[in-house]
Amino acid sequence: SSLRSTTILDKQHPVDEWTNITSSIISKIPLRLHTKTGHPLNTLRTLIETHFSGFSHVSSFSPVVTPFKNFDELSFPPDHPGRSVADSYYINKDLMLRTHTSAHEVEMFRKGEDKWLLTADVYRRDEIDASHYPVFHQVEGARIFDATPTGMQEVREDNERLASQLARSNIIIEDIPHISPTNPVQSLHDPEFVQLVAANLKLSLNGMILKLFGGASDVPLRVRWIEAYFPFTSPSFEVEVFYQGKWLEILGCGVVVNATLDTAAVQNKIGWAFGLGLERIAMVLFSIPDIRLFWSTDQRFLSQFEQGKITVFKPYSKYPACYKDVSFWLPSESKLHENDFCDLVRDTAGDLVEDVKKIDEFVHPKTNKTSLCYRINYRSMDRSVSNEEINSIQSQVVQQLKDRFNVEIR
Ligand code: PHE
């Protein structure tokens, strides 16, 4: 970039060779959809908050964080792929946009909070289609207990209370052991306590899932627990819900790594944390067919929702799509990450791009050059677009490709 600084939330930041944040991403930062009354993302987060009674709520943290806070403080190894400029948005070498709400775990625990929820916008470079968007929203939740006999008794009693609530409901849970050789207890932890904490985590989340997906249906709700890995929890789990004929992955969670609590100066406690993405869940609960719709300011979208209520969205019409292909040779030795291509398109076309697919790739045997062909599908959520308008966007995309990646159009 030829710019020497970039302005984010009214603050100027120097740019450097790490900078990869685009203006289309910067324009989303002030919007904070999860705080807009009536917005489905806000309704969903409120429903989650009412399930976790007694938990404090926070939703005001800035997305601009240090890589230290997003990764190192959470025990990510130095070579973790999530750190790469291909996967995360960097403002410069020392500042980035958080990739998950876990970035604030240490900060929350340091405040002395034992039960908390945090909702925020998070940013990840990714492909483009109906269910991926580089900005999305997560809810993080955590609960910690005193690592004492009294604390243990408290968990036991809470587990009994939660289990008796679930026993009366129409839910089938496919569970796995709380602890296994591949999903171990941390060396500092008492396995008996971890069993209780993991049970508390599962009971709390099964209850939340039942509240969100259970409805009044006479068909039992199916939930399954899967072993997972996160650098900042052990044991770790993922949860899937069987909904409308498909298994839907809804969250990651686990027993908080002791180093996190240590960094937060919290001593002699043990507990759990979870993080869930709001968009995927809201898309199925409200029947929202495309993730871009959350960003729509069209009244035909916004007026269909009422704060606190899950209602079925009725698409107001699907405007015609229009696809354009672009084929090009990459200069030899050079690489174009798919996420770079997607950000370039996103930055030029904004929310008019619905889908980007690589439809061809080969290496010329003599020149060793790579040929790529991408198909870009354009469609507006709100109006018809003319072929001329799309042609003009497409030619800007082609120009940007030439200017920034030095490609040779075929
Ligand atoms: N931060 C994780 C993610 O974004 C989710 C998570 C949160 C997992 C808390 C464990 C504990 O995928």
Side-chain angles (χ1 to χ4, degrees):
S1 168
S2 58
L3 297 169
R4 307 211 17 250
S5 76
T6 184
T7 305
I8 294 166
L9 296 171
D10 294 326
K11 202 172 172 315
Q12 278 209 0
H13 299 278
V15 297
D16 61 21
E17 64 284 358
W18 283 68
T19 310
N20 63 1
I21 185 169
T22 64
S23 44
S24 99
I25 295 297
I26 294 174
S27 71
K28 299 292 192 292
I29 295 176
L31 301 182
R32 301 172 42 74
L33 299 180
H34 57 290
T35 64
K36 298 266 180 287
T37 306
H39 196 283
L41 296 177
N42 188 11
T43 286
L44 180 53
R45 112 164 138 106
T46 317
L47 293 174
I48 294 168
E49 286 171 356
T50 40
H51 173 74
F52 289 98
S53 64
F55 283 56
S56 65
H57 316 153
V58 182
S59 57
S60 54
F61 287 142
S62 163
V64 178
V65 299
T66 58
F68 183 79
K69 187 167 167 144
N70 196 78
F71 297 120
D72 302 78
E73 269 192 336
L74 291 162
S75 312
F76 280 75
D79 59 350
H80 192 279
R83 294 177 187 259
S84 85
V85 288
D87 291 336
S88 300
Y89 287 105
Y90 283 83
I91 296 158
N92 54 44
K93 177 169 80 48
D94 303 315
L95 281 180
M96 65 185 304
L97 297 179
R98 66 184 156 224
T99 62
H100 56 174
T101 41
S102 304
H104 300 287
E105 277 193 9
V106 168
E107 191 171 2
M108 291 301 293
F109 287 129
R110 194 175 275 136
K111 290 208 254 180
E113 304 271 6
D114 284 349
K115 301 157 115 175
W116 54 263
L117 294 170
L118 180 148
T119 309
D121 40 324
V122 300
Y123 299 77
R124 288 186 203 170
R125 302 188 71 199
D126 217 328
E127 57 200 282
I128 299 183
D129 66 27
S131 62
H132 289 87
Y133 201 84
V135 189
F136 61 101
H137 298 78
Q138 287 188 324
V139 175
E140 189 95 358
R143 178 165 187 192
I144 52 175
F145 304 91
D146 288 335
T148 60
T150 321
M152 208 180 218
Q153 191 52 30
E154 191 194 327
V155 191
R156 261 195 210 101
E157 280 161 22
D158 199 52
N159 289 356
E160 268 165 39
R161 182 183 62 85
L162 294 168
S164 73
Q165 285 170 4
L166 276 174
R168 281 178 266 115
S169 58
N170 202 4
I171 184 169
I172 298 175
I173 300 157
E174 292 175 32
D175 202 0
I176 54 169
H178 301 328
I179 298 168
S180 82
T182 46
N183 208 12
V185 175
Q186 298 163 48
S187 55
L188 288 162
H189 283 163
D190 167 7
E192 192 189 343
F193 213 140
V194 173
Q195 296 280 5
L196 289 168
V197 168
N200 191 264
L201 165 68
K202 289 177 177 176
L203 287 163
S204 305
L205 290 175
N206 287 334
M208 176 198 76
I209 292 165
L210 185 70
K211 173 106 121 229
L212 296 178
F213 292 89
S217 163
D218 40 352
V219 190
L221 179 68
R222 290 173 67 195
V223 174
R224 74 178 177 203
W225 286 76
I226 295 167
E227 214 172 279
Y229 174 80
F230 302 103
F232 42 95
T233 51
S234 189
S236 304
F237 310 95
E238 258 159 27
V239 188
E240 296 183 342
V241 176
F242 196 71
Y243 199 71
Q244 294 169 352
K246 288 199 197 94
W247 285 103
L248 176 73
E249 187 191 311
I250 64 162
L251 61 84
C253 62
V255 175
V256 177
V257 157
N258 202 63
T260 309
L261 296 172
D262 237 15
T263 310
V266 170
Q267 250 107 60
N268 220 23
K269 300 252 186 184
I270 180 170
W272 50 255
F274 73 86
L276 64 79
L278 288 175
E279 272 82 349
R280 300 277 179 83
I281 299 176
M283 283 175 81
V284 307
L285 290 179
F286 295 85
S287 309
I288 295 171
D290 191 300
I291 196 164
R292 287 175 294 166
L293 280 163
F294 291 112
W295 300 90
S296 175
T297 53
D298 194 308
Q299 279 311 313
R300 289 171 297 176
F301 176 75
L302 292 172
S303 69
Q304 290 198 27
F305 303 100
E306 198 184 324
Q307 178 61 31
K309 297 227 166 75
I310 293 185
T311 51
V312 172
F313 172 68
K314 292 177 203 68
Y316 36 89
S317 113
K318 199 159 183 180
Y319 294 91
C322 166
Y323 71 80
K324 302 281 170 190
D325 293 348
V326 56
S327 304
F328 52 88
W329 292 109
L330 271 184
S332 46
E333 318 285 286
S334 86
K335 284 232 167 351
L336 174 68
H337 194 287
E338 190 138 315
N339 288 347
D340 289 326
F341 185 79
C342 288
D343 264 329
L344 183 152
V345 176
R346 193 82 84 176
D347 212 32
T348 313
D351 287 351
L352 287 181
V353 54
E354 176 167 291
D355 201 278
V356 170
K357 268 197 218 79
K358 184 158 57 181
I359 56 174
D360 190 43
E361 170 166 13
F362 70 91
V363 179
H364 192 285
K366 292 228 174 74
T367 63
N368 218 24
K369 283 187 184 174
T370 304
S371 165
L372 291 169
C373 181
Y374 280 99
R375 175 161 293 173
I376 307 172
N377 199 23
Y378 296 97
R379 188 202 309 266
S380 166
M381 295 276 105
D382 309 324
R383 63 189 174 86
S384 289
V385 283
S386 67
N387 200 39
E388 291 80 73
E389 187 182 354
I390 298 304
N391 277 336
S392 130
I393 293 171
Q394 180 71 4
S395 61
Q396 289 170 50
V397 167
V398 169
Q399 192 60 47
Q400 289 285 323
L401 262 178
K402 290 197 260 187
D403 294 351
R404 296 192 3 212
F405 297 97
N406 204 21
V407 309
E408 188 191 326
I409 303 295
R410 305 188 56 191

PDB file of all heavy atoms in Angstrom, residues 1 4 28 37 51 69 72 76 109 127 135 140 183 189 222 235 249 278 283 286 309 351 361 382:
ATOM      1  N   SER A   1       0.836  -1.198   0.000  1.00  0.00           N
ATOM      2  CA  SER A   1       0.000   0.000   0.000  1.00  0.00           C
ATOM      3  C   SER A   1       0.878   1.257   0.000  1.00  0.00           C
ATOM      4  O   SER A   1       1.927   1.290   0.633  1.00  0.00           O
ATOM      5  CB  SER A   1      -0.906  -0.021   1.232  1.00  0.00           C
ATOM      6  OG  SER A   1      -1.504   1.240   1.396  1.00  0.00           O
ATOM      7  N   ARG A   4       0.574   5.683   4.261  1.00  0.00           N
ATOM      8  CA  ARG A   4       1.485   5.456   5.380  1.00  0.00           C
ATOM      9  C   ARG A   4       0.744   5.282   6.691  1.00  0.00           C
ATOM     10  O   ARG A   4       1.310   4.883   7.685  1.00  0.00           O
ATOM     11  CB  ARG A   4       2.534   6.567   5.455  1.00  0.00           C
ATOM     12  CG  ARG A   4       3.213   6.708   4.075  1.00  0.00           C
ATOM     13  CD  ARG A   4       4.658   7.147   4.053  1.00  0.00           C
ATOM     14  NE  ARG A   4       5.371   7.020   5.289  1.00  0.00           N
ATOM     15  CZ  ARG A   4       5.756   8.063   6.027  1.00  0.00           C
ATOM     16  NH1 ARG A   4       5.448   9.288   5.646  1.00  0.00           N
ATOM     17  NH2 ARG A   4       6.449   7.875   7.120  1.00  0.00           N
ATOM     18  N   LYS A  28     -17.026  -1.752   8.160  1.00  0.00           N
ATOM     19  CA  LYS A  28     -17.959  -2.571   8.958  1.00  0.00           C
ATOM     20  C   LYS A  28     -17.746  -2.393  10.468  1.00  0.00           C
ATOM     21  O   LYS A  28     -18.631  -2.682  11.276  1.00  0.00           O
ATOM     22  CB  LYS A  28     -17.777  -4.062   8.635  1.00  0.00           C
ATOM     23  CG  LYS A  28     -18.043  -4.452   7.189  1.00  0.00           C
ATOM     24  CD  LYS A  28     -19.516  -4.307   6.861  1.00  0.00           C
ATOM     25  CE  LYS A  28     -19.910  -4.934   5.539  1.00  0.00           C
ATOM     26  NZ  LYS A  28     -19.348  -4.223   4.380  1.00  0.00           N
ATOM     27  N   THR A  37     -31.190  -2.804  18.200  1.00  0.00           N
ATOM     28  CA  THR A  37     -32.490  -3.312  18.645  1.00  0.00           C
ATOM     29  C   THR A  37     -33.261  -3.924  17.480  1.00  0.00           C
ATOM     30  O   THR A  37     -33.370  -3.314  16.422  1.00  0.00           O
ATOM     31  CB  THR A  37     -33.325  -2.158  19.255  1.00  0.00           C
ATOM     32  OG1 THR A  37     -32.530  -1.559  20.271  1.00  0.00           O
ATOM     33  CG2 THR A  37     -34.614  -2.675  19.868  1.00  0.00           C
ATOM     34  N   HIS A  51     -30.662 -17.156  29.150  1.00  0.00           N
ATOM     35  CA  HIS A  51     -30.434 -18.531  29.622  1.00  0.00           C
ATOM     36  C   HIS A  51     -29.422 -18.565  30.763  1.00  0.00           C
ATOM     37  O   HIS A  51     -29.579 -19.315  31.724  1.00  0.00           O
ATOM     38  CB  HIS A  51     -29.946 -19.424  28.474  1.00  0.00           C
ATOM     39  CG  HIS A  51     -29.540 -20.785  28.953  1.00  0.00           C
ATOM     40  ND1 HIS A  51     -30.465 -21.732  29.331  1.00  0.00           N
ATOM     41  CD2 HIS A  51     -28.321 -21.336  29.186  1.00  0.00           C
ATOM     42  CE1 HIS A  51     -29.819 -22.823  29.752  1.00  0.00           C
ATOM     43  NE2 HIS A  51     -28.520 -22.602  29.669  1.00  0.00           N
ATOM     44  N   LYS A  69      -2.464 -10.560  22.565  1.00  0.00           N
ATOM     45  CA  LYS A  69      -3.729 -10.794  23.254  1.00  0.00           C
ATOM     46  C   LYS A  69      -4.604 -11.830  22.528  1.00  0.00           C
ATOM     47  O   LYS A  69      -5.271 -12.657  23.150  1.00  0.00           O
ATOM     48  CB  LYS A  69      -4.455  -9.448  23.311  1.00  0.00           C
ATOM     49  CG  LYS A  69      -5.695  -9.418  24.120  1.00  0.00           C
ATOM     50  CD  LYS A  69      -6.075  -7.962  24.322  1.00  0.00           C
ATOM     51  CE  LYS A  69      -7.481  -7.888  24.853  1.00  0.00           C
ATOM     52  NZ  LYS A  69      -7.639  -6.808  25.809  1.00  0.00           N
ATOM     53  N   ASP A  72      -0.977 -15.194  21.875  1.00  0.00           N
ATOM     54  CA  ASP A  72       0.017 -15.631  22.865  1.00  0.00           C
ATOM     55  C   ASP A  72      -0.566 -15.848  24.255  1.00  0.00           C
ATOM     56  O   ASP A  72      -0.304 -16.866  24.893  1.00  0.00           O
ATOM     57  CB  ASP A  72       1.177 -14.621  22.950  1.00  0.00           C
ATOM     58  CG  ASP A  72       1.852 -14.438  21.604  1.00  0.00           C
ATOM     59  OD1 ASP A  72       1.270 -13.701  20.760  1.00  0.00           O
ATOM     60  OD2 ASP A  72       2.919 -15.012  21.369  1.00  0.00           O
ATOM     61  N   PHE A  76      -1.442 -20.004  22.245  1.00  0.00           N
ATOM     62  CA  PHE A  76      -1.220 -20.421  20.854  1.00  0.00           C
ATOM     63  C   PHE A  76       0.291 -20.535  20.627  1.00  0.00           C
ATOM     64  O   PHE A  76       1.030 -19.636  21.019  1.00  0.00           O
ATOM     65  CB  PHE A  76      -1.760 -19.390  19.863  1.00  0.00           C
ATOM     66  CG  PHE A  76      -3.246 -19.454  19.625  1.00  0.00           C
ATOM     67  CD1 PHE A  76      -4.140 -18.972  20.577  1.00  0.00           C
ATOM     68  CD2 PHE A  76      -3.760 -19.979  18.441  1.00  0.00           C
ATOM     69  CE1 PHE A  76      -5.509 -19.006  20.364  1.00  0.00           C
ATOM     70  CE2 PHE A  76      -5.137 -20.022  18.222  1.00  0.00           C
ATOM     71  CZ  PHE A  76      -6.012 -19.535  19.181  1.00  0.00           C
ATOM     72  N   PHE A 109     -11.369 -12.304  33.087  1.00  0.00           N
ATOM     73  CA  PHE A 109     -11.023 -12.986  34.339  1.00  0.00           C
ATOM     74  C   PHE A 109     -10.278 -12.038  35.289  1.00  0.00           C
ATOM     75  O   PHE A 109     -10.451 -12.083  36.493  1.00  0.00           O
ATOM     76  CB  PHE A 109     -10.182 -14.234  34.071  1.00  0.00           C
ATOM     77  CG  PHE A 109     -10.971 -15.382  33.469  1.00  0.00           C
ATOM     78  CD1 PHE A 109     -10.527 -16.035  32.321  1.00  0.00           C
ATOM     79  CD2 PHE A 109     -12.150 -15.825  34.068  1.00  0.00           C
ATOM     80  CE1 PHE A 109     -11.242 -17.094  31.780  1.00  0.00           C
ATOM     81  CE2 PHE A 109     -12.872 -16.893  33.534  1.00  0.00           C
ATOM     82  CZ  PHE A 109     -12.415 -17.532  32.380  1.00  0.00           C
ATOM     83  N   GLU A 127     -13.104 -17.573   2.443  1.00  0.00           N
ATOM     84  CA  GLU A 127     -13.704 -17.677   1.119  1.00  0.00           C
ATOM     85  C   GLU A 127     -15.015 -16.875   1.072  1.00  0.00           C
ATOM     86  O   GLU A 127     -15.472 -16.369   2.093  1.00  0.00           O
ATOM     87  CB  GLU A 127     -13.975 -19.147   0.808  1.00  0.00           C
ATOM     88  CG  GLU A 127     -14.873 -19.790   1.854  1.00  0.00           C
ATOM     89  CD  GLU A 127     -14.794 -21.322   1.868  1.00  0.00           C
ATOM     90  OE1 GLU A 127     -15.400 -21.948   0.996  1.00  0.00           O
ATOM     91  OE2 GLU A 127     -14.128 -21.863   2.773  1.00  0.00           O
ATOM     92  N   VAL A 135     -16.558 -10.702   8.435  1.00  0.00           N
ATOM     93  CA  VAL A 135     -16.918 -10.153   9.744  1.00  0.00           C
ATOM     94  C   VAL A 135     -18.077 -10.982  10.265  1.00  0.00           C
ATOM     95  O   VAL A 135     -19.062 -11.167   9.546  1.00  0.00           O
ATOM     96  CB  VAL A 135     -17.404  -8.692   9.641  1.00  0.00           C
ATOM     97  CG1 VAL A 135     -17.555  -8.082  11.028  1.00  0.00           C
ATOM     98  CG2 VAL A 135     -16.495  -7.869   8.753  1.00  0.00           C
ATOM     99  N   GLU A 140     -18.899 -15.281  23.802  1.00  0.00           N
ATOM    100  CA  GLU A 140     -17.999 -16.065  24.639  1.00  0.00           C
ATOM    101  C   GLU A 140     -18.636 -16.126  26.020  1.00  0.00           C
ATOM    102  O   GLU A 140     -19.207 -15.140  26.489  1.00  0.00           O
ATOM    103  CB  GLU A 140     -16.643 -15.338  24.731  1.00  0.00           C
ATOM    104  CG  GLU A 140     -15.552 -16.134  25.395  1.00  0.00           C
ATOM    105  CD  GLU A 140     -14.676 -16.874  24.365  1.00  0.00           C
ATOM    106  OE1 GLU A 140     -14.958 -16.783  23.152  1.00  0.00           O
ATOM    107  OE2 GLU A 140     -13.719 -17.539  24.796  1.00  0.00           O
ATOM    108  N   ASN A 183      -7.894 -36.366  24.954  1.00  0.00           N
ATOM    109  CA  ASN A 183      -8.546 -35.137  25.421  1.00  0.00           C
ATOM    110  C   ASN A 183      -8.303 -35.028  26.926  1.00  0.00           C
ATOM    111  O   ASN A 183      -9.210 -35.194  27.735  1.00  0.00           O
ATOM    112  CB  ASN A 183     -10.042 -35.219  25.087  1.00  0.00           C
ATOM    113  CG  ASN A 183     -10.681 -33.856  24.887  1.00  0.00           C
ATOM    114  OD1 ASN A 183      -9.990 -32.835  24.775  1.00  0.00           O
ATOM    115  ND2 ASN A 183     -12.003 -33.828  24.850  1.00  0.00           N
ATOM    116  N   HIS A 189      -4.569 -30.156  37.318  1.00  0.00           N
ATOM    117  CA  HIS A 189      -5.959 -30.317  37.754  1.00  0.00           C
ATOM    118  C   HIS A 189      -6.239 -31.667  38.410  1.00  0.00           C
ATOM    119  O   HIS A 189      -5.666 -32.684  38.029  1.00  0.00           O
ATOM    120  CB  HIS A 189      -6.905 -30.133  36.561  1.00  0.00           C
ATOM    121  CG  HIS A 189      -7.111 -28.706  36.163  1.00  0.00           C
ATOM    122  ND1 HIS A 189      -7.629 -28.343  34.940  1.00  0.00           N
ATOM    123  CD2 HIS A 189      -6.894 -27.548  36.839  1.00  0.00           C
ATOM    124  CE1 HIS A 189      -7.701 -27.024  34.874  1.00  0.00           C
ATOM    125  NE2 HIS A 189      -7.260 -26.521  36.008  1.00  0.00           N
ATOM    126  N   ARG A 222     -31.834 -33.412  18.806  1.00  0.00           N
ATOM    127  CA  ARG A 222     -30.620 -34.233  18.896  1.00  0.00           C
ATOM    128  C   ARG A 222     -29.376 -33.353  18.952  1.00  0.00           C
ATOM    129  O   ARG A 222     -29.204 -32.458  18.122  1.00  0.00           O
ATOM    130  CB  ARG A 222     -30.527 -35.184  17.702  1.00  0.00           C
ATOM    131  CG  ARG A 222     -31.563 -36.288  17.751  1.00  0.00           C
ATOM    132  CD  ARG A 222     -31.543 -37.107  16.476  1.00  0.00           C
ATOM    133  NE  ARG A 222     -30.300 -37.864  16.321  1.00  0.00           N
ATOM    134  CZ  ARG A 222     -29.917 -38.420  15.165  1.00  0.00           C
ATOM    135  NH1 ARG A 222     -30.669 -38.272  14.079  1.00  0.00           N
ATOM    136  NH2 ARG A 222     -28.795 -39.100  15.101  1.00  0.00           N
ATOM    137  N   PRO A 235      -9.781 -30.642  28.924  1.00  0.00           N
ATOM    138  CA  PRO A 235     -10.275 -31.166  27.663  1.00  0.00           C
ATOM    139  C   PRO A 235     -11.103 -30.132  26.885  1.00  0.00           C
ATOM    140  O   PRO A 235     -11.558 -29.153  27.446  1.00  0.00           O
ATOM    141  CB  PRO A 235     -11.148 -32.348  28.114  1.00  0.00           C
ATOM    142  CG  PRO A 235     -11.547 -32.047  29.517  1.00  0.00           C
ATOM    143  CD  PRO A 235     -10.392 -31.308  30.101  1.00  0.00           C
ATOM    144  N   GLU A 249     -22.701 -27.396  13.225  1.00  0.00           N
ATOM    145  CA  GLU A 249     -21.695 -27.186  14.261  1.00  0.00           C
ATOM    146  C   GLU A 249     -21.959 -25.841  14.910  1.00  0.00           C
ATOM    147  O   GLU A 249     -22.036 -24.831  14.222  1.00  0.00           O
ATOM    148  CB  GLU A 249     -20.315 -27.201  13.612  1.00  0.00           C
ATOM    149  CG  GLU A 249     -19.189 -27.149  14.600  1.00  0.00           C
ATOM    150  CD  GLU A 249     -17.865 -26.903  13.906  1.00  0.00           C
ATOM    151  OE1 GLU A 249     -17.575 -27.611  12.920  1.00  0.00           O
ATOM    152  OE2 GLU A 249     -17.167 -25.985  14.346  1.00  0.00           O
ATOM    153  N   LEU A 278     -22.686 -16.398  16.115  1.00  0.00           N
ATOM    154  CA  LEU A 278     -24.124 -16.090  16.067  1.00  0.00           C
ATOM    155  C   LEU A 278     -24.734 -16.272  14.677  1.00  0.00           C
ATOM    156  O   LEU A 278     -25.886 -16.693  14.555  1.00  0.00           O
ATOM    157  CB  LEU A 278     -24.365 -14.656  16.544  1.00  0.00           C
ATOM    158  CG  LEU A 278     -24.193 -14.401  18.042  1.00  0.00           C
ATOM    159  CD1 LEU A 278     -24.350 -12.905  18.342  1.00  0.00           C
ATOM    160  CD2 LEU A 278     -25.223 -15.201  18.846  1.00  0.00           C
ATOM    161  N   MET A 283     -28.996 -17.921  11.086  1.00  0.00           N
ATOM    162  CA  MET A 283     -29.446 -18.267   9.736  1.00  0.00           C
ATOM    163  C   MET A 283     -30.451 -19.417   9.774  1.00  0.00           C
ATOM    164  O   MET A 283     -31.462 -19.370   9.078  1.00  0.00           O
ATOM    165  CB  MET A 283     -28.259 -18.632   8.830  1.00  0.00           C
ATOM    166  CG  MET A 283     -27.496 -17.398   8.353  1.00  0.00           C
ATOM    167  SD  MET A 283     -26.007 -17.780   7.410  1.00  0.00           S
ATOM    168  CE  MET A 283     -26.712 -18.122   5.806  1.00  0.00           C
ATOM    169  N   PHE A 286     -33.822 -18.243  12.038  1.00  0.00           N
ATOM    170  CA  PHE A 286     -34.695 -17.236  11.417  1.00  0.00           C
ATOM    171  C   PHE A 286     -34.910 -17.504   9.924  1.00  0.00           C
ATOM    172  O   PHE A 286     -35.498 -16.681   9.239  1.00  0.00           O
ATOM    173  CB  PHE A 286     -34.084 -15.831  11.565  1.00  0.00           C
ATOM    174  CG  PHE A 286     -33.971 -15.305  12.971  1.00  0.00           C
ATOM    175  CD1 PHE A 286     -32.894 -15.614  13.782  1.00  0.00           C
ATOM    176  CD2 PHE A 286     -34.957 -14.458  13.489  1.00  0.00           C
ATOM    177  CE1 PHE A 286     -32.775 -15.098  15.071  1.00  0.00           C
ATOM    178  CE2 PHE A 286     -34.851 -13.935  14.775  1.00  0.00           C
ATOM    179  CZ  PHE A 286     -33.759 -14.253  15.566  1.00  0.00           C
ATOM    180  N   LYS A 309     -37.755 -11.927  19.642  1.00  0.00           N
ATOM    181  CA  LYS A 309     -38.594 -13.004  19.091  1.00  0.00           C
ATOM    182  C   LYS A 309     -37.912 -13.697  17.910  1.00  0.00           C
ATOM    183  O   LYS A 309     -37.364 -13.036  17.036  1.00  0.00           O
ATOM    184  CB  LYS A 309     -39.923 -12.421  18.585  1.00  0.00           C
ATOM    185  CG  LYS A 309     -40.775 -11.802  19.652  1.00  0.00           C
ATOM    186  CD  LYS A 309     -42.221 -12.286  19.521  1.00  0.00           C
ATOM    187  CE  LYS A 309     -43.013 -11.956  20.777  1.00  0.00           C
ATOM    188  NZ  LYS A 309     -43.346 -10.503  20.819  1.00  0.00           N
ATOM    189  N   ASP A 351     -20.928  -5.840  -1.087  1.00  0.00           N
ATOM    190  CA  ASP A 351     -21.862  -6.938  -0.857  1.00  0.00           C
ATOM    191  C   ASP A 351     -22.590  -7.399  -2.117  1.00  0.00           C
ATOM    192  O   ASP A 351     -23.506  -8.208  -2.050  1.00  0.00           O
ATOM    193  CB  ASP A 351     -22.863  -6.560   0.240  1.00  0.00           C
ATOM    194  CG  ASP A 351     -22.189  -6.574   1.617  1.00  0.00           C
ATOM    195  OD1 ASP A 351     -21.033  -7.036   1.710  1.00  0.00           O
ATOM    196  OD2 ASP A 351     -22.817  -6.117   2.588  1.00  0.00           O
ATOM    197  N   GLU A 361      -7.343 -24.627 -12.514  1.00  0.00           N
ATOM    198  CA  GLU A 361      -5.974 -24.305 -12.117  1.00  0.00           C
ATOM    199  C   GLU A 361      -5.043 -25.304 -12.784  1.00  0.00           C
ATOM    200  O   GLU A 361      -5.299 -26.503 -12.753  1.00  0.00           O
ATOM    201  CB  GLU A 361      -5.816 -24.419 -10.587  1.00  0.00           C
ATOM    202  CG  GLU A 361      -4.367 -24.334 -10.160  1.00  0.00           C
ATOM    203  CD  GLU A 361      -4.172 -24.091  -8.658  1.00  0.00           C
ATOM    204  OE1 GLU A 361      -5.145 -24.227  -7.887  1.00  0.00           O
ATOM    205  OE2 GLU A 361      -3.044 -23.763  -8.282  1.00  0.00           O
ATOM    206  N   ASP A 382     -30.906  -6.587  -2.621  1.00  0.00           N
ATOM    207  CA  ASP A 382     -31.972  -5.595  -2.505  1.00  0.00           C
ATOM    208  C   ASP A 382     -32.559  -5.094  -3.820  1.00  0.00           C
ATOM    209  O   ASP A 382     -33.564  -4.434  -3.832  1.00  0.00           O
ATOM    210  CB  ASP A 382     -31.464  -4.368  -1.726  1.00  0.00           C
ATOM    211  CG  ASP A 382     -30.803  -4.737  -0.401  1.00  0.00           C
ATOM    212  OD1 ASP A 382     -31.291  -5.700   0.224  1.00  0.00           O
ATOM    213  OD2 ASP A 382     -29.822  -4.085  -0.026  1.00  0.00           O
TER     214      ASP A 382
END
